[in-house]
Amino acid sequence: MTGGATMGGKKFVDDHSDQDFMELAIRNIRDQLGIRGDPLDVRVSRAYNAIPQYNLGHSDARDEARRVLREQTPWVSIAGSAYDGVGLNDCIMSGYKAADKYLGNAYLAGEI
């Protein structure tokens, strides 16, 4: 996966050819995984708006919401892709942390 908001968003995707993306992906795989052979098959798919991006200040607003909830309604917690990451693993961990807050696992809940 290549592109996204950190690489200039739609303009980045539109300004580069399929060949550019293939070369970039192969270079990244070689650098990060140490794979040196040539791929047997390469396909480029352009998925605009595929992964949501949080707005600037999102983490501050989320942290403030959690602070207010902790002070005013400590039995309520927020979790999920709107708060701690949009990937499946992020969502699962967010749920674990919310549940662990009530089960007493301060480490996993991120409190220590």
Side-chain angles (χ1 to χ4, degrees), residues 1-108:
M1 186 179 303
T2 301
T6 60
M7 296 185 79
K10 184 178 183 307
K11 180 174 177 13
F12 176 83
V13 173
D14 289 343
D15 287 351
H16 290 82
S17 70
D18 286 359
Q19 185 66 35
D20 292 337
F21 282 115
M22 286 189 281
E23 290 170 5
L24 177 61
I26 292 167
R27 185 171 56 247
N28 286 342
I29 289 169
R30 287 183 174 145
D31 290 348
Q32 295 172 15
L33 302 177
I35 297 172
R36 298 290 170 234
D38 291 330
L40 298 177
D41 186 33
V42 179
R43 297 176 192 182
V44 174
S45 176
R46 295 166 189 262
Y48 295 99
N49 300 316
I51 297 180
Q53 304 290 318
Y54 296 126
N55 293 326
L56 187 61
H58 170 269
S59 59
D60 292 336
R62 177 206 57 214
D63 292 347
E64 177 64 9
R66 285 189 168 139
R67 185 191 64 74
V68 169
L69 284 172
R70 212 171 23 252
E71 290 176 2
Q72 297 180 10
T73 54
W75 58 90
V76 175
S77 184
I78 55 176
S81 64
Y83 306 102
D84 298 309
V86 299
L88 181 59
N89 291 340
D90 297 323
C91 294
I92 292 169
M93 185 55 73
S94 179
Y96 278 146
K97 286 182 178 182
D100 283 340
K101 174 181 172 185
Y102 298 101
L103 298 175
N105 189 334
Y107 175 78
L108 202 56

